[in-house]
Amino acid sequence: MRGVILRGIAGFYYVLAEGREYRCRARGIFRKEGVTPLAGDRVEISAYEDGTGAVEDILPRINAFERPPAANVETLVLVMAGRDPMPSFSLTDRFSVVAERAGSELIICMNKVDLAEPALLQRFGEIYGGLYPLFFVCGRTGEGVEALRAALKGRQAALAGPSGAGKSTLTNLLLESERSATGEISRRNLRGKNTTRHTELFITEDFSLFDTPGFSAFDPEMMEEEELQHCFPEFRPFIGKCRFSDCRHLAEPDCAVTEALKEGKIKKSRYRSYGEMLKEIRENKEY
Ligand SMILES: Nc1nc2c(ncn2[C@@H]2O[C@H](COP(=O)(O)OP(=O)(O)O)[C@@H](O)[C@H]2O)c(=O)[nH]1
Ligand SMILES: [Mg+2]
Ligand SMILES: [Zn+2]
């Protein structure tokens, strides 16, 4: 039968299939092919009455992450705090590139609005509001969390962002009073404040949410320099319109991207982030 892997621990894969959780082994064929089943994978299993089973096949993935080990992250919710820690535009861009590269839909969630300077929230909104769905929330009061939950409807999502931004708090709020598909109250809520060590997928009636130890942000190993420009959605209308077909939009003449920058169609901080990441990709190549 068909199911989804909730978590993998010590060689077992816990698969939710037809309303029941099965503890499965993976067929040897995966090891031979160098494929590791991941939390979030859609799988075909053989299931037995005693609650055990075997993963027979992994269905095609939308994407797969190594850190954390998770598959089919349809939506990545980037959580930034308005303060403690201060929001970083550069880090926001480094996460947005990760989402774009993976083909995950990105949602940006600005948390701790109770602590933030209104001017900073406004500036953040000016840069990202037109690019991605943007939510302002408060993990302390729960303000804005309903709207975020509604945006996750039907999606398999994960929260990413810097430590202390409020990912665990929001995960708990999003899963609060949600019943898992097996009918239990999500165990997340019972586990309290323990730090997340495993990647685990929680399934609710409305959405699925990974609880993970954290996503890594942009790493220059991730891509070739040509690919980076495509990870900036606001660059896309201008790509291919520069004088040189291999234009990297730095100091080349007749560059449609730098022209758009001058006209204010591309924000300076985003362009700066692009330049920084491009430089890192180039430096990484030199070694
Ligand atoms: N003032 C305030 N504190 C918050 C808010 N959301 C989370 N926190 C606190 O920020 C700290 C870090 O939150 P946590 O969820 O552990 O962050 P994580 O590292 O991203 O998982 C905790 O002490 C939370 O109680 C918020 O909206 N406002
Ligand atoms: Mg946490
Ligand atoms: Zn160009």
Side-chain angles (χ1 to χ4, degrees), residues 137-154:
V137 306
C138 182
R140 194 173 57 79
T141 63
E143 179 193 336
V145 174
E146 270 317 306
L148 178 60
R149 181 184 281 135
L152 298 182
K153 189 151 179 76

Side-chain angles (χ1 to χ4, degrees), residues 201-226:
L201 182 65
F202 287 92
I203 299 190
T204 76
E205 276 172 24
D206 292 330
F207 58 87
S208 303
L209 188 64
F210 287 98
D211 187 16
T212 79
F215 277 79
S216 26
F218 170 80
D219 173 340
E221 305 252 321
M222 281 175 26
M223 65 180 80
E224 300 296 322
E225 62 173 80
E226 195 278 332

Side-chain angles (χ1 to χ4, degrees), residues 78-82 87-88 91-92 95 108-112 124 161-162 165:
L78 171 58
V79 181
M80 279 283 154
S88 156
L91 191 61
T92 301
F95 273 111
I108 300 181
C109 176
M110 174 56 91
N111 185 35
K112 305 200 190 185
F124 198 85

Side-chain angles (χ1 to χ4, degrees), residues 104-172:
S104 302
E105 166 200 65
L106 181 70
I107 289 178
I108 300 181
C109 176
M110 174 56 91
N111 185 35
K112 305 200 190 185
V113 293
D114 56 324
L115 302 179
E117 290 287 344
L120 186 59
L121 295 183
Q122 197 192 331
R123 170 139 175 72
F124 198 85
E126 280 164 10
I127 293 180
Y128 297 104
L131 290 175
Y132 295 107
L134 174 61
F135 293 85
F136 292 95
V137 306
C138 182
R140 194 173 57 79
T141 63
E143 179 193 336
V145 174
E146 270 317 306
L148 178 60
R149 181 184 281 135
L152 298 182
K153 189 151 179 76
R155 314 290 293 176
Q156 182 159 300
L159 269 50
S163 175
K167 299 180 294 299
S168 298
T169 305
L170 293 173
T171 299
N172 282 333

